[in-house]
Amino acid sequence: MEGSTEYPSIPSIPSTSSTFPTSQPNTTLKIKLKAPATRSFQRNQTPPSKVKMATHEQKESTSSRSVLDPTTSTQEKTSQDTAPLRALDHQSERETAPNEKPPTIHIGTRKSALAMVQTEQVKASLEKAHPHLHFEITKLETMGDKNQVTALHDFGAKSLWTHELEALLLDRKLDIVVHCLKDMPTQLPNRCTIGAILEREDPRDALIMKAGSSYKSLAELPAGSVVGTSSVRRSAQIARKYPELKFENARGNIGTRLNKLDADDGKYSCLILAAAGLLRMGWGERITQYLDSKTEGGGMLHAVGQGALALEVRDGDEEIGKMISALQHEPTQLAGLAERSLMRTLEGGCSVPIGVETTWIEKGKLLMKAIVVSLDGTESVESEKLEEILTPKDADDFGWTLAQDLVSKGAAKILEAINLNRPVIKEDIWLHETKQKLHRLAGWAMHSFSKHLQRRLKAAYVYVCGYSNIIEFQSSHAC
């Protein structure tokens, strides 16, 4: 299109703001440093027996995903892998000696342009807080990155963006993993935990009209207009208010989707994206309308955890936990925990139409709104509550209580119908998990078993990888 903008895959790294923009986004990065905060807690209460759903506590995962931490030979854990952790014992209390090499902390992230921008910001904040340490970024593709065709709802899995990174974290190849909080399952693998939640960017959804369009809101779009989104939460809430609109799946990174939107032969009239991603990439000027519960013509609640970044670490790794605690932002942490507790209780995920909106009314007073919508938007239940939230336990209880209220109004029935009718791609998930198991077994067998078994494992791994073409065979870990 003449005069249109081509969006690069990896732009220059912008700063970000935690305040909600009204016209032009504030580009000043604000990550507050504070003393370590309490990170974990336990709770034993269970929900009413008549309602079949998860408890509001962080229960042990019952997922069918592969175990990420099988026994490995000590020969695999080289001095390079464990040196940063040993060095941290006393390094945090003194500066590195002139001739001493600073310990390296490995930060993992996805390969997307947005993920890299976010991780570079985290790295810069850690370097400022710990100038005596050296930080390196490792990027890789996850299952969700590799399959850019299938609609997210059809996967059914809850770890599309995290599984491979968590495997490296538990292998001690990584020390920290940077995630968008909304991409993280509410039940993490054993020995993984959220070490810190950073200050939240604007959590709202955003409407982006096609370049040159005269329309300024969803309400102005004519019947039959195509809305591009890969989120059933967004499409269900929009269909609830605007049943005359059509929806098409829109996958890919932000730049790719914007280029598809602006193409002369593009089928989309508009896109719905997270405002936080656009602002972090420096593309806030493309936002036509912010969508939230108060926006006239909008009326949309955002995803659980949207706009916040989370740092995942090994549970019990006190040195790394202490190091990243300076980035913890307590208001975002408490709001995020309340939202995740609600979703965990309802057994939802990123492929289920559950929307939330949390607002701090005053110090210690959190207002949370929530909605569960059927896929076609014809059925919905809503609830909202205001509670005093001072601790992580308060936040967990709050989410559980609000979820119970939604269930009493019929949310369980809506979610059950969605799960029964979802065309889950079970074969893709099985192949993905099988390859992860074989990949790790190959490395284990390299030091533990006969050459014959090593060859058999390698052959099985190559066969599965070749059959599915989802991930490449990594020869450095093969027998």
Side-chain angles (χ1 to χ4, degrees):
M1 177 184 295
E2 184 177 356
S4 63
T5 302
E6 286 294 324
Y7 293 88
S9 58
I10 301 181
S12 58
I13 299 169
S15 298
T16 184
S17 169
S18 62
T19 57
F20 293 1
T22 55
S23 56
Q24 294 296 327
N26 184 348
T27 58
T28 302
L29 174 64
K30 292 165 52 178
I31 296 182
K32 298 181 180 179
L33 305 181
K34 60 184 291 296
T38 302
R39 292 169 45 200
S40 61
F41 57 94
Q42 296 291 330
R43 194 170 187 274
N44 298 318
Q45 186 177 354
T46 56
S49 58
K50 293 184 179 180
V51 181
K52 183 179 180 181
M53 57 188 173
T55 63
H56 63 296
E57 64 179 314
Q58 180 71 37
K59 69 178 184 180
E60 183 174 344
S61 174
T62 56
S63 169
S64 60
R65 296 189 304 156
S66 60
V67 178
L68 299 180
D69 56 344
T71 304
T72 56
S73 169
T74 55
Q75 297 179 39
E76 281 190 278
K77 295 180 173 57
T78 64
S79 58
Q80 182 179 0
D81 296 331
T82 57
L85 302 179
R86 295 196 305 269
L88 279 174
D89 289 338
H90 303 290
Q91 195 70 26
S92 59
E93 300 177 2
R94 61 180 176 84
E95 294 295 327
T96 304
N99 297 326
E100 183 180 353
K101 183 179 179 180
T104 298
I105 306 301
H106 298 277
I107 306 173
T109 186
R110 293 164 53 201
K111 276 188 175 181
S112 73
L114 176 59
M116 287 301 299
V117 166
Q118 294 170 162
T119 305
E120 288 286 359
Q121 292 174 352
V122 171
K123 177 174 176 282
S125 297
L126 288 171
E127 287 173 337
K128 181 178 180 180
H130 306 282
H132 56 281
L133 299 177
H134 177 65
F135 297 89
E136 288 186 358
I137 295 176
T138 299
K139 55 184 179 179
L140 57 81
E141 289 184 317
T142 63
M143 183 181 181
D145 295 311
K146 294 173 187 294
N147 186 336
Q148 293 288 319
V149 178
T150 304
L152 296 179
H153 171 67
D154 291 344
F155 276 103
K158 299 180 183 179
S159 56
L160 295 176
W161 317 107
T162 62
H163 185 80
E164 292 84 352
L165 290 163
E166 288 166 341
L168 293 179
L169 180 66
L170 291 173
D171 268 347
R172 294 187 178 272
K173 302 296 190 301
L174 298 175
D175 301 302
I176 303 167
V177 179
V178 179
H179 298 291
C180 290
L181 184 60
K182 73 181 181 68
D183 293 336
M184 298 186 71
T186 56
Q187 295 177 18
L188 302 180
N190 292 335
R191 301 200 296 121
C192 288
T193 189
I194 296 176
I197 298 177
L198 282 62
E199 187 171 5
R200 199 171 206 166
E201 180 54 274
D202 191 328
R204 294 176 291 179
D205 287 306
L207 170 69
I208 302 93
M209 289 294 184
K210 190 180 186 74
S213 173
S214 61
Y215 301 116
K216 301 300 180 184
S217 68
L218 284 170
E220 296 178 12
L221 288 172
S225 296
V226 177
V227 179
T229 177
S230 56
S231 164
V232 294
R233 173 189 57 81
R234 291 168 178 152
S235 61
Q237 289 188 83
I238 295 174
R240 176 171 171 257
K241 287 185 171 289
Y242 307 103
E244 71 278 5
L245 298 179
K246 296 182 179 180
F247 302 92
E248 290 285 348
N249 185 45
R251 295 286 311 278
N253 60 47
I254 298 177
T256 298
R257 282 183 275 183
L258 289 174
N259 286 329
K260 289 179 180 179
L261 171 67
D262 295 337
D264 289 332
D265 58 349
K267 59 184 176 181
Y268 306 113
S269 300
C270 64
L271 295 176
I272 309 294
L273 301 172
L278 290 162
L279 296 174
R280 287 179 178 135
M281 294 293 287
W283 296 334
E285 74 281 353
R286 287 303 308 265
I287 297 176
T288 306
Q289 180 187 26
Y290 287 93
L291 305 175
D292 60 19
S293 63
K294 300 178 290 294
T295 303
E296 183 179 357
M300 180 182 294
L301 304 188
H302 59 73
V304 166
Q306 186 161 299
L309 299 180
L311 305 185
E312 188 175 14
V313 298
R314 289 178 293 275
D315 195 12
D317 194 333
E318 296 181 1
E319 297 298 338
I320 295 295
K322 180 180 178 181
M323 181 187 69
I324 66 174
S325 64
L327 275 60
Q328 181 85 275
H329 185 252
E330 188 175 29
T332 303
Q333 177 204 25
L334 295 177
L337 291 176
E339 294 172 13
R340 286 170 63 81
S341 175
L342 178 139
M343 185 166 70
R344 183 171 59 249
T345 304
L346 295 174
E347 295 186 324
C350 63
S351 60
V352 175
I354 299 174
V356 298
E357 186 176 275
T358 49
T359 307
W360 289 101
I361 303 301
E362 56 185 78
K363 186 174 182 179
K365 296 285 187 178
L366 183 65
L367 173 66
M368 181 157 64
K369 302 178 181 181
I371 187 171
V372 176
V373 192
S374 63
L375 294 180
D376 59 5
T378 58
E379 297 181 81
S380 64
V381 294
E382 299 177 76
S383 183
E384 67 176 81
K385 288 184 181 296
L386 177 66
E387 292 285 349
E388 183 177 48
I389 307 298
L390 301 177
T391 67
K393 184 178 183 300
D394 292 340
D396 188 67
D397 290 345
F398 187 26
W400 185 84
T401 301
L402 191 60
Q404 293 297 323
D405 191 51
L406 288 168
V407 168
S408 70
K409 295 178 179 180
K413 181 180 178 181
I414 295 175
L415 293 174
E416 182 180 5
I418 291 172
N419 288 325
L420 287 175
N421 294 324
R422 177 192 290 135
V424 178
I425 306 177
K426 295 181 179 179
E427 183 181 31
D428 279 359
I429 297 171
W430 177 85
L431 286 168
H432 176 68
E433 294 177 350
T434 300
K435 282 182 294 185
Q436 291 292 324
K437 291 178 182 178
L438 289 171
H439 173 74
R440 293 176 58 80
L441 281 172
W444 180 34
M446 182 166 57
H447 301 288
S448 307
F449 292 110
S450 67
K451 292 292 183 183
H452 175 70
L453 181 55
Q454 291 174 18
R455 288 193 296 271
R456 294 288 293 273
L457 283 170
K458 177 180 178 179
Y461 184 75
V462 172
Y463 173 79
V464 173
C465 289
Y467 177 64
S468 63
N469 290 321
I470 297 178
I471 62 175
E472 296 178 355
F473 177 67
Q474 301 178 22
S475 59
S476 61
H477 288 272
C479 305

